[in-house]
Amino acid sequence: AGFGADIGMEKFFNIKCRYSGLIPNCVAMVATVRALKMHSGGPTVTAGQPIPSEYSQENLELLAKGFVNLERHIGNALKFGIPVCVAVNRMKCDSEAEVQLLCRLSREAGASEAVVSSHWADGGEGARNLAEAVVRACSRSSNFRFLYPLEKSIEEKMVIIAKEIYHADGIEILPEAREKIERYKRQGFSHLPICMAKTHLSFSHLPELKGAPSGFTLPIRDVRASVGAGFLYPLVGTMSTMPGLPTRPCFYDIDIDTTTGEIQGLF
Protein backbone atom coordinates (compact mmCIF):
# COMPACT_ATOMS: atom_id res chain seq x y z
CA ALA A 1 0.00 0.00 0.00
CA GLY A 2 3.02 2.29 0.22
CA PHE A 3 4.60 4.57 2.85
CA GLY A 4 4.23 3.61 6.51
CA ALA A 5 1.48 1.22 7.56
CA ASP A 6 -0.12 4.11 9.46
CA ILE A 7 -0.71 5.77 6.09
CA GLY A 8 -0.96 3.28 3.20
CA MET A 9 -2.33 0.27 5.07
CA GLU A 10 -4.95 2.20 7.01
CA LYS A 11 -6.25 3.91 3.85
CA PHE A 12 -6.19 0.70 1.82
CA PHE A 13 -8.27 -1.11 4.42
CA ASN A 14 -10.73 1.61 5.35
CA ILE A 15 -11.22 3.07 1.85
CA LYS A 16 -10.11 0.69 -0.90
CA CYS A 17 -11.37 -2.51 0.71
CA ARG A 18 -14.62 -0.88 1.77
CA TYR A 19 -15.48 0.26 -1.75
CA SER A 20 -14.12 -2.75 -3.66
CA GLY A 21 -15.26 -5.53 -1.35
CA LEU A 22 -11.70 -6.91 -1.25
CA ILE A 23 -10.90 -8.88 1.90
CA PRO A 24 -7.14 -9.13 2.53
CA ASN A 25 -5.71 -12.39 3.82
CA CYS A 26 -2.61 -10.96 5.51
CA VAL A 27 -0.41 -7.90 5.91
CA ALA A 28 3.10 -8.17 4.43
CA MET A 29 4.98 -5.54 6.43
CA VAL A 30 8.43 -4.53 5.17
CA ALA A 31 11.07 -3.33 7.63
CA THR A 32 14.78 -2.59 7.54
CA VAL A 33 17.39 -2.66 10.28
CA ARG A 34 18.62 0.77 9.24
CA ALA A 35 15.20 2.45 9.48
CA LEU A 36 14.53 1.04 12.94
CA LYS A 37 17.92 2.22 14.17
CA MET A 38 16.89 5.70 13.06
CA HIS A 39 13.66 5.37 15.06
CA SER A 40 15.75 4.67 18.17
CA GLY A 41 17.00 8.24 18.19
CA GLY A 42 20.06 7.46 16.11
CA PRO A 43 22.01 10.14 14.23
CA THR A 44 20.17 12.24 11.67
CA VAL A 45 20.52 11.14 8.05
CA THR A 46 20.96 14.08 5.69
CA ALA A 47 20.45 13.75 1.94
CA GLY A 48 23.73 14.12 0.08
CA GLN A 49 25.81 13.44 3.19
CA PRO A 50 27.54 10.17 4.19
CA ILE A 51 25.36 7.87 6.27
CA PRO A 52 26.53 7.79 9.92
CA SER A 53 28.46 4.64 10.84
CA GLU A 54 25.78 3.57 13.34
CA TYR A 55 23.65 2.49 10.38
CA SER A 56 26.30 0.37 8.69
CA GLN A 57 27.82 -1.34 11.75
CA GLU A 58 26.23 -3.89 14.05
CA ASN A 59 24.39 -2.25 16.94
CA LEU A 60 21.86 -4.53 18.59
CA GLU A 61 21.05 -2.04 21.34
CA LEU A 62 20.12 0.69 18.85
CA LEU A 63 18.00 -1.76 16.84
CA ALA A 64 16.14 -3.08 19.89
CA LYS A 65 15.38 0.44 21.06
CA GLY A 66 14.01 1.47 17.65
CA PHE A 67 11.86 -1.66 17.35
CA VAL A 68 9.08 0.19 19.21
CA ASN A 69 8.17 1.73 15.85
CA LEU A 70 7.66 -1.60 14.10
CA GLU A 71 5.97 -3.03 17.19
CA ARG A 72 3.31 -0.34 16.95
CA HIS A 73 2.81 -0.93 13.21
CA ILE A 74 2.31 -4.64 13.90
CA GLY A 75 -0.19 -3.87 16.65
CA ASN A 76 -2.07 -1.48 14.37
CA ALA A 77 -2.30 -4.09 11.63
CA LEU A 78 -3.65 -6.70 14.06
CA LYS A 79 -6.52 -4.36 14.92
CA PHE A 80 -7.94 -5.11 11.47
CA GLY A 81 -8.18 -8.79 12.33
CA ILE A 82 -5.72 -10.34 9.88
CA PRO A 83 -2.30 -12.01 10.28
CA VAL A 84 0.94 -10.06 9.88
CA CYS A 85 4.02 -11.28 8.03
CA VAL A 86 7.13 -9.13 8.61
CA ALA A 87 9.61 -9.02 5.73
CA VAL A 88 13.06 -7.94 6.85
CA ASN A 89 14.51 -6.30 3.74
CA ARG A 90 18.15 -7.16 4.27
CA MET A 91 20.92 -4.76 3.30
CA LYS A 92 24.52 -5.78 2.76
CA CYS A 93 25.63 -4.08 5.98
CA ASP A 94 23.09 -5.89 8.21
CA SER A 95 24.64 -8.50 10.48
CA GLU A 96 23.11 -11.93 10.97
CA ALA A 97 22.56 -11.13 14.63
CA GLU A 98 20.63 -7.98 13.72
CA VAL A 99 18.24 -9.60 11.26
CA GLN A 100 17.61 -12.54 13.59
CA LEU A 101 16.91 -10.16 16.48
CA LEU A 102 14.46 -8.25 14.32
CA CYS A 103 12.66 -11.46 13.32
CA ARG A 104 12.44 -12.63 16.94
CA LEU A 105 11.12 -9.30 18.22
CA SER A 106 8.54 -9.21 15.41
CA ARG A 107 7.16 -12.62 16.34
CA GLU A 108 7.07 -11.65 20.02
CA ALA A 109 5.09 -8.52 19.04
CA GLY A 110 2.40 -10.62 17.38
CA ALA A 111 3.55 -11.23 13.82
CA SER A 112 2.66 -14.76 12.74
CA GLU A 113 5.64 -14.81 10.37
CA ALA A 114 8.92 -12.88 10.28
CA VAL A 115 11.51 -13.74 7.65
CA VAL A 116 14.58 -12.24 6.01
CA SER A 117 14.29 -11.31 2.34
CA SER A 118 17.42 -10.75 0.23
CA HIS A 119 15.74 -10.13 -3.13
CA TRP A 120 17.75 -6.94 -3.65
CA ALA A 121 20.94 -9.00 -3.89
CA ASP A 122 19.64 -12.45 -4.88
CA GLY A 123 16.62 -11.73 -7.07
CA GLY A 124 13.66 -14.09 -6.96
CA GLU A 125 15.52 -16.76 -5.02
CA GLY A 126 16.17 -14.23 -2.28
CA ALA A 127 12.42 -13.70 -1.88
CA ARG A 128 11.51 -17.40 -1.78
CA ASN A 129 11.31 -17.59 2.02
CA LEU A 130 9.16 -14.47 2.10
CA ALA A 131 6.78 -15.84 -0.52
CA GLU A 132 6.39 -19.07 1.42
CA ALA A 133 5.84 -17.15 4.66
CA VAL A 134 3.11 -15.03 3.05
CA VAL A 135 1.37 -18.20 1.84
CA ARG A 136 1.47 -19.61 5.37
CA ALA A 137 0.14 -16.37 6.84
CA CYS A 138 -2.69 -16.27 4.28
CA SER A 139 -3.74 -19.77 5.28
CA ARG A 140 -4.34 -18.71 8.88
CA SER A 141 -7.81 -17.82 10.09
CA SER A 142 -8.71 -14.15 10.00
CA ASN A 143 -11.60 -11.83 10.77
CA PHE A 144 -11.10 -8.66 8.73
CA ARG A 145 -12.86 -5.59 10.07
CA PHE A 146 -12.88 -1.86 9.42
CA LEU A 147 -11.59 0.65 11.94
CA TYR A 148 -14.78 2.73 11.94
CA PRO A 149 -18.33 2.64 10.53
CA LEU A 150 -19.19 5.28 7.94
CA GLU A 151 -22.16 6.37 10.03
CA LYS A 152 -19.81 8.06 12.49
CA SER A 153 -19.47 11.83 12.16
CA ILE A 154 -16.54 13.36 10.29
CA GLU A 155 -14.98 14.43 13.58
CA GLU A 156 -15.45 11.01 15.17
CA LYS A 157 -13.79 9.22 12.26
CA MET A 158 -10.78 11.54 12.44
CA VAL A 159 -10.52 11.00 16.20
CA ILE A 160 -10.65 7.20 15.81
CA ILE A 161 -7.80 7.23 13.28
CA ALA A 162 -5.77 9.66 15.40
CA LYS A 163 -6.17 7.64 18.59
CA GLU A 164 -6.15 4.07 17.29
CA ILE A 165 -3.48 4.33 14.57
CA TYR A 166 -1.34 7.36 15.47
CA HIS A 167 -1.82 7.01 19.27
CA ALA A 168 -2.59 10.70 19.70
CA ASP A 169 -4.54 11.95 22.69
CA GLY A 170 -7.00 13.63 20.33
CA ILE A 171 -7.32 16.17 17.54
CA GLU A 172 -7.48 19.96 17.31
CA ILE A 173 -9.76 21.20 14.53
CA LEU A 174 -8.54 24.59 13.35
CA PRO A 175 -10.96 27.28 12.04
CA GLU A 176 -10.64 26.57 8.31
CA ALA A 177 -11.12 22.86 8.89
CA ARG A 178 -14.15 23.49 11.09
CA GLU A 179 -15.76 25.66 8.42
CA LYS A 180 -15.21 22.99 5.76
CA ILE A 181 -16.56 20.20 7.96
CA GLU A 182 -19.78 22.09 8.57
CA ARG A 183 -20.10 22.74 4.84
CA TYR A 184 -19.64 19.05 3.98
CA LYS A 185 -22.25 18.11 6.53
CA ARG A 186 -24.75 20.45 4.89
CA GLN A 187 -23.85 19.02 1.47
CA GLY A 188 -24.45 15.45 2.63
CA PHE A 189 -20.86 14.20 2.60
CA SER A 190 -20.63 13.11 6.25
CA HIS A 191 -20.81 9.45 5.25
CA LEU A 192 -17.54 9.49 3.29
CA PRO A 193 -14.44 7.71 4.66
CA ILE A 194 -11.39 9.68 5.78
CA CYS A 195 -8.05 9.86 3.92
CA MET A 196 -5.58 11.58 6.24
CA ALA A 197 -2.88 13.72 4.57
CA LYS A 198 -0.09 13.31 7.13
CA THR A 199 3.67 12.93 7.08
CA HIS A 200 4.84 9.33 6.61
CA LEU A 201 8.01 10.02 8.61
CA SER A 202 6.35 9.81 12.03
CA PHE A 203 3.21 8.52 13.70
CA SER A 204 2.64 12.13 14.65
CA HIS A 205 2.36 15.26 12.51
CA LEU A 206 6.00 16.13 13.25
CA PRO A 207 8.47 14.37 10.90
CA GLU A 208 11.29 14.60 13.42
CA LEU A 209 9.32 12.78 16.15
CA LYS A 210 10.55 9.21 15.68
CA GLY A 211 9.91 5.92 17.43
CA ALA A 212 6.42 5.41 18.86
CA PRO A 213 5.29 8.82 20.14
CA SER A 214 2.08 9.28 22.08
CA GLY A 215 0.38 11.96 24.13
CA PHE A 216 0.30 14.53 21.34
CA THR A 217 -2.64 16.41 19.83
CA LEU A 218 -3.09 16.09 16.09
CA PRO A 219 -3.81 19.47 14.43
CA ILE A 220 -6.32 19.35 11.56
CA ARG A 221 -5.52 22.44 9.46
CA ASP A 222 -8.00 21.91 6.66
CA VAL A 223 -10.40 19.30 5.30
CA ARG A 224 -10.94 18.89 1.57
CA ALA A 225 -13.34 16.72 -0.40
CA SER A 226 -12.63 14.34 -3.27
CA VAL A 227 -16.25 13.51 -3.84
CA GLY A 228 -15.67 11.67 -7.11
CA ALA A 229 -13.04 9.45 -5.52
CA GLY A 230 -15.29 9.05 -2.49
CA PHE A 231 -13.41 10.41 0.51
CA LEU A 232 -12.61 13.47 2.60
CA TYR A 233 -8.95 14.29 3.19
CA PRO A 234 -7.92 16.29 6.24
CA LEU A 235 -4.59 18.14 6.05
CA VAL A 236 -2.63 17.39 9.20
CA GLY A 237 -0.20 20.00 10.49
CA THR A 238 1.88 21.57 7.72
CA MET A 239 1.33 18.70 5.28
CA SER A 240 1.34 19.82 1.64
CA THR A 241 -0.59 18.14 -1.15
CA MET A 242 2.10 18.96 -3.72
CA PRO A 243 4.33 16.00 -4.70
CA GLY A 244 7.76 16.11 -3.11
CA LEU A 245 9.82 16.01 -6.30
CA PRO A 246 13.37 17.39 -6.58
CA THR A 247 13.99 20.53 -8.62
CA ARG A 248 16.64 18.59 -10.56
CA PRO A 249 15.27 15.24 -11.85
CA CYS A 250 17.33 12.19 -10.89
CA PHE A 251 17.43 10.90 -14.46
CA TYR A 252 20.19 13.44 -15.17
CA ASP A 253 22.52 11.25 -13.11
CA ILE A 254 21.54 7.93 -14.70
CA ASP A 255 23.50 6.64 -17.70
CA ILE A 256 24.59 3.42 -19.36
CA ASP A 257 28.11 2.29 -20.14
CA THR A 258 27.84 1.29 -23.79
CA THR A 259 30.93 -0.93 -23.49
CA THR A 260 29.89 -3.00 -20.48
CA GLY A 261 26.13 -2.45 -20.60
CA GLU A 262 26.22 -1.49 -16.93
CA ILE A 263 23.68 1.09 -15.74
CA GLN A 264 25.25 3.86 -13.67
CA GLY A 265 23.74 6.23 -11.14
CA LEU A 266 20.88 4.08 -9.85
CA PHE A 267 22.36 3.57 -6.38
Side-chain angles (χ1 to χ4, degrees):
F3 292 119
D6 57 314
I7 302 295
M9 180 193 72
E10 183 272 316
K11 295 174 182 177
F12 181 82
F13 287 165
N14 283 316
I15 302 175
K16 177 69 175 181
C17 292
R18 197 187 299 264
Y19 280 131
S20 68
L22 293 172
I23 299 178
N25 297 105
C26 84
V27 173
M29 189 170 290
V30 182
T32 65
V33 168
R34 180 178 294 176
L36 292 176
K37 285 180 178 179
M38 184 180 295
H39 277 289
S40 72
T44 300
V45 175
T46 303
Q49 299 296 319
I51 295 177
S53 60
E54 286 84 351
Y55 300 118
S56 58
Q57 298 175 2
E58 182 179 287
N59 193 320
L60 300 178
E61 181 180 356
L62 208 61
L63 175 59
K65 185 179 178 182
F67 179 74
V68 293
N69 181 266
L70 180 57
E71 181 178 33
R72 177 172 291 179
H73 281 300
I74 293 171
N76 284 346
L78 292 174
K79 291 180 180 179
F80 292 92
I82 55 178
V84 176
C85 174
V86 171
V88 178
N89 188 7
R90 185 169 195 169
M91 299 182 181
K92 62 180 181 180
C93 58
D94 298 341
S95 73
E96 184 64 23
E98 286 177 326
V99 296
Q100 291 307 318
L101 173 63
L102 184 47
C103 287
R104 177 176 64 80
L105 292 176
S106 297
R107 288 189 289 267
E108 291 175 356
S112 59
E113 302 282 345
V115 297
V116 178
S117 181
S118 61
H119 53 278
W120 184 86
D122 302 320
E125 185 59 33
R128 179 186 293 273
N129 288 340
L130 172 59
E132 293 172 347
V134 169
V135 170
R136 290 193 299 271
C138 289
S139 67
R140 292 174 175 266
S141 61
S142 61
N143 182 28
F144 178 67
R145 52 187 175 270
F146 299 119
L147 194 64
Y148 55 81
L150 294 180
E151 294 73 25
K152 292 280 188 181
S153 70
I154 296 172
E155 295 94 333
E156 288 174 320
K157 286 180 278 196
M158 291 191 297
V159 167
I160 290 172
I161 295 172
K163 288 186 174 182
E164 293 294 326
I165 302 299
Y166 310 151
H167 292 246
D169 278 352
I171 65 174
E172 178 187 10
I173 301 176
L174 301 179
E176 185 176 3
R178 172 57 64 192
E179 180 183 346
K180 295 282 190 67
I181 289 172
E182 296 306 319
R183 180 190 307 169
Y184 299 145
K185 288 179 179 179
R186 292 193 301 270
Q187 293 173 329
F189 300 145
S190 295
H191 66 285
L192 294 177
I194 300 297
C195 184
M196 290 285 207
K198 182 188 77 68
T199 179
H200 62 286
L201 299 174
S202 172
F203 278 108
S204 75
H205 58 290
L206 301 172
E208 66 276 10
L209 200 55
K210 304 300 184 185
S214 60
F216 57 91
T217 299
L218 200 71
I220 307 299
R221 184 179 93 246
D222 191 7
V223 180
R224 300 176 186 175
S226 289
V227 178
F231 56 75
L232 302 177
Y233 62 101
L235 301 184
V236 179
T238 59
M239 188 65 184
S240 171
T241 56
M242 293 294 290
L245 301 177
T247 56
R248 184 177 182 275
C250 295
F251 76 81
Y252 282 117
D253 300 319
I254 300 174
D255 203 353
I256 185 169
D257 187 321
T258 56
T259 301
T260 65
E262 181 178 346
I263 297 176
Q264 302 169 336
L266 287 178
F267 306 104

